[in-house]
Amino acid sequence: LPHQLASVALLDADTYCVLDCATELQRALGKMNSMQFVAASRTGARRLAGRTPSGGARLSIPPRSEGINSGVLVLNLTVFRAFAAIMCPEAPWWVCVLRKAPRGYRSVGGDQSVWNQLILSYPHVWL
């Protein structure tokens, strides 16, 4: 993202804002403290509930949220860039985030897995 941007809202391609959406995203940005740089909603992440007789995965939605949904992210880029420069000066920030992931989860399975590992490792950055 251009360095002149201080903040941004990132939306999935299948997501759009209606009515006062932009105002709500701006309000989330204003609620962040000096260490927070990402606002996102919780998601109903799925867990492996078992296997089907043929060996396929049977997934369940847990009773409470297990992470964030990266379909709508509000980022304070000024704070994010400062955090990334300190946390991971030798590589892109997401590389260092994935290094902290448990074995078996160290490859990018999509942006949501990277964001979830970020807030798992650094919960103070999330509003």
Side-chain angles (χ1 to χ4, degrees):
L1 295 169
H3 279 280
Q4 57 268 40
L5 286 179
S7 61
V8 68
L10 302 175
L11 308 176
D12 275 355
D14 62 350
T15 305
Y16 53 93
C17 283
V18 295
L19 301 175
D20 288 338
C21 173
T23 303
E24 289 300 316
L25 297 176
Q26 185 69 33
R27 191 171 292 137
L29 188 66
K31 289 180 182 178
M32 291 180 189
N33 67 34
S34 63
M35 296 176 68
Q36 294 171 321
F37 59 80
V38 60
S41 64
R42 289 191 174 272
T43 186
R46 295 178 176 228
R47 285 191 227 156
L48 182 65
R51 295 282 179 188
T52 65
S54 63
R58 183 176 294 132
L59 300 175
S60 69
I61 297 177
R64 65 177 183 79
S65 177
E66 296 296 322
I68 66 167
N69 181 334
S70 65
V72 179
L73 294 174
V74 177
L75 302 173
N76 178 325
L77 296 175
T78 304
V79 177
F80 189 12
R81 289 179 183 121
F83 170 83
I86 292 167
M87 185 266 297
C88 194
E90 76 281 357
W93 68 271
W94 57 268
V95 171
C96 293
V97 166
L98 290 178
R99 286 182 192 150
K100 292 182 171 289
R103 288 188 132 188
Y105 295 95
R106 291 189 183 154
S107 62
V108 177
D111 67 316
Q112 188 157 305
S113 62
V114 176
W115 290 108
N116 276 294
Q117 185 59 46
L118 174 74
I119 65 161
L120 182 63
S121 300
Y122 305 96
H124 66 278
V125 305
W126 179 38
L127 173 64

